[in-house]
Amino acid sequence: MKTIHINTIRPYDVHIGAGLMDQLADLLPPKVTKAGLRGAKAVLITDENVDSLYGERVSEKLETLGFQVMKAVVPAGETAKSGEAYLKLLSFMADRHVSRSDMIFALGGGVVGDLAGFLAATFLRGIDFVQLPTTLLAAVDSSVGGKTAINLPEGKNLVGAFYQPVGVIMDVRLLDTLSREIFIDGCAEVIKYGMIWDRALFDKLERHVLPDKRQDEELMTEIIARCVEIKEEVVSQDEREKGLRALLNFGHTIGHAVEKNSGFSISHGKAVAIGMIMATKAAEQAGICEKGVGQTLERILTAYGLPVTTDFPGRALGEAMLADKKIDGAKIHLILPKKIGECYIHDMKTAEMETFLLGAEGTDGDYAK
Ligand code: GLY
C-alpha cells in the first residue's frame, strides 16, 4: 500500500493498494471512524453500475463501523451531474435530516465523486466527505485535489467548488470489474501526467501498456501513486488554480469541446486524448514543442486504444472552446508541451486560438491529423 499526504488547506491522506476496501476501519481518518462510533448518518452516493457490484459490501462495512447508511443511487453517466439530479439529492438529505456531523461517501468514478463532492461542499454550507474511487480516472485525478462540480446545459463543470475530501481510499482491486473502455479512459489522464511532469513515468507507460497489465496490482498501485504524487505537488502549490494547477488541464480545453459536441457520447478520457494530440501538434507546428513529440504521443495513445483524431468541424469545436471556463476575458490559458515531461501555460488571445489549434480558420474536417 502507498499513502500520499495531500498538503492542502484541509490536508488528508490518499491510500492506494489492493484489498483496501476490507481495511476501511484502519484507513479512514479518525474523525470518520469516531462519527461511526456515535452512530452518525453516512450518505452513500453511488451509481447503478457500481451499486450492483460494491454497494452492499461498502454499506455493510460502514454499518459495521456504526454508521446509519442512507444510500442514494444515481444513473450511471454524465447525466447524473445535472442540476436536477443535484437538487434531488439535496432534498434526499434534507428529508432524512442529515446534519453537519454526518458525512457523505462517494463510491464511484468521476461523475459520482464530482457530484457527491459538490453536495458535500454546499449542503448546510459544507459537510465532510470521503472519496472511494472505483475507476482509474477517479483514482488518478478527480478524487484528489478538491475540484467538485455539476454541469450546465451550457458546458461541463460550470458550477462547482474547491472542497477537499477528508480522506481517499483507492482499492486497486476494484479496477478488475471495469470494462476495457472505462479503464482506457483513465489511462488518458495517466499519460497526461507523464506529458506534463514526468518523462520517466511516460517511458514506463510506454514499456508497460496498462490495458494489458491491469491485473498487476503492484504496477497499478505504483502508477496510480505516482500520478497522485504529481497531483499533490501541483495542487499543494496552487489549490485554487491561480496558475500552476492549470497544467493539469492539458488536453482538456479541446477535450471538453469534443465531449460537448458529441453530446457526451465521447468519454472524457478519449476526448482528452484528442485534445492532447491536437495541442501537441499545434505546439510542434508553431516551433514551441520539440519535433517528434506529437508522433510519440500518438504512438502511445494508439497503443492504449485511445483516439487521436476527431471528425467534428473546427467551427463547432472552436465555439464550444469559447464557452470553456478557462477563458479569461479576451485570453485563454492553453497548456502546451515543450517536450515530454514539460508543459507550460501559454496565454493566447481567444481570437487566435481557433487558428492556432484547428488550422486555417473556417476550414472544416479532421483537425487532429
Ligand atoms: N482535473 C484537474 C484538476 O484537478 O485540477
Side-chain angles (χ1 to χ4, degrees):
M1 181 181 86
K2 300 239 181 198
T3 299
I4 294 134
H5 185 67
I6 310 293
N7 211 1
T8 41
I9 290 169
R10 284 199 336 168
Y12 54 99
D13 286 336
V14 179
H15 301 290
I16 302 149
L20 300 194
M21 226 22 101
D22 294 322
Q23 299 171 40
L24 281 188
D26 299 324
L27 299 176
L28 285 168
K31 72 185 301 197
V32 176
T33 40
K34 276 188 199 144
L37 285 175
R38 49 160 214 276
K41 292 170 185 141
V43 180
L44 177 61
I45 299 181
T46 189
D47 74 24
E48 290 160 344
N49 294 343
V50 178
D51 182 43
S52 62
L53 291 164
Y54 305 115
E56 210 173 296
R57 200 167 129 207
V58 174
S59 290
E60 275 169 17
K61 302 259 174 244
L62 294 176
E63 271 159 12
T64 311
L65 289 172
F67 283 103
Q68 298 173 57
V69 179
M70 291 158 187
K71 192 168 69 176
V73 182
V74 298
E78 199 69 31
T79 51
K81 271 174 70 173
S82 68
E84 293 78 17
Y86 163 71
L87 289 176
K88 223 163 125 184
L89 285 167
L90 288 176
S91 294
F92 174 90
M93 293 196 288
D95 284 348
R96 285 158 186 78
H97 308 289
V98 172
S99 76
R100 279 209 190 116
S101 43
D102 299 319
M103 46 192 67
I104 292 179
F105 290 79
L107 174 69
V111 166
V112 164
D114 282 8
L115 171 69
F118 187 55
L119 280 162
T122 49
F123 185 72
L124 304 179
R125 300 198 178 90
I127 70 171
D128 286 340
F129 85 115
V130 174
Q131 290 270 21
L132 304 172
T134 59
T135 64
L136 181 56
L137 187 143
V140 298
D141 184 33
S142 56
S143 68
V144 180
K147 274 193 183 174
T148 71
I150 56 171
N151 300 331
L152 291 182
E154 288 78 9
K156 218 173 125 84
N157 296 336
L158 290 185
V159 181
F162 289 100
Y163 192 71
Q164 303 294 342
V166 293
V168 182
I169 296 171
M170 170 69 212
D171 183 347
V172 299
R173 224 161 258 166
L174 304 191
L175 300 177
D176 288 352
T177 47
L178 290 182
S179 67
R180 191 174 168 89
E181 286 298 293
I182 307 246
F183 183 85
I184 65 170
D185 215 44
C187 292
E189 296 282 357
V190 176
I191 293 168
K192 176 195 81 178
Y193 285 107
M195 280 296 291
I196 63 166
W197 205 261
D198 187 351
R199 169 94 217 201
L201 172 64
F202 189 93
D203 292 346
K204 195 172 196 168
L205 296 171
E206 277 199 298
R207 284 197 308 278
H208 303 283
V209 176
L210 295 188
D212 304 331
K213 298 265 179 91
R214 53 190 278 192
Q215 306 300 338
D216 185 338
E217 292 175 344
E218 212 172 300
L219 176 73
M220 288 310 303
T221 301
E222 213 177 287
I223 298 279
I224 294 170
R226 182 61 195 135
C227 295
V228 173
E229 266 169 19
I230 297 171
K231 185 146 193 187
E232 198 285 325
E233 268 184 81
V234 172
V235 170
S236 62
Q237 294 177 62
D238 179 25
E239 192 168 338
R240 297 181 75 89
E241 201 170 308
K242 302 277 185 235
L244 186 71
R245 184 168 183 164
L247 284 185
L248 300 171
N249 296 329
F250 176 49
H252 283 60
T253 301
I254 304 172
H256 285 167
V258 170
E259 276 183 278
K260 192 175 170 205
N261 269 276
S262 74
F264 295 103
S265 66
I266 296 184
S267 63
H268 181 71
K270 284 186 176 156
V272 166
I274 293 166
M276 289 194 292
I277 201 82
M278 287 172 85
T280 303
K281 289 197 169 176
E284 215 176 300
Q285 189 87 25
I288 291 166
C289 179
E290 269 178 11
K291 287 262 169 271
V293 173
Q295 216 176 1
T296 309
L297 180 60
E298 193 167 318
R299 197 172 57 228
I300 193 171
L301 292 172
T302 308
Y304 275 66
L306 286 159
V308 289
T309 61
T310 175
D311 290 330
F312 289 120
R315 174 66 57 208
L317 287 184
E319 271 164 24
M321 278 189 269
L322 291 176
D324 198 275
K325 61 191 171 322
K326 286 175 275 305
I327 302 267
D328 176 2
K331 271 200 282 167
I332 181 159
H333 311 298
L334 274 184
I335 313 308
L336 298 176
K338 289 186 179 166
K339 56 186 182 185
I340 294 168
E342 188 181 339
C343 286
Y344 79 109
I345 304 162
H346 183 101
D347 288 336
M348 183 178 282
K349 289 195 185 118
T350 45
E352 289 166 8
M353 173 199 69
E354 218 175 295
T355 315
F356 177 79
L357 286 175
L358 307 170
E361 214 178 327
T363 319
D364 280 354
D366 191 348
Y367 282 88
K369 278 188 175 155

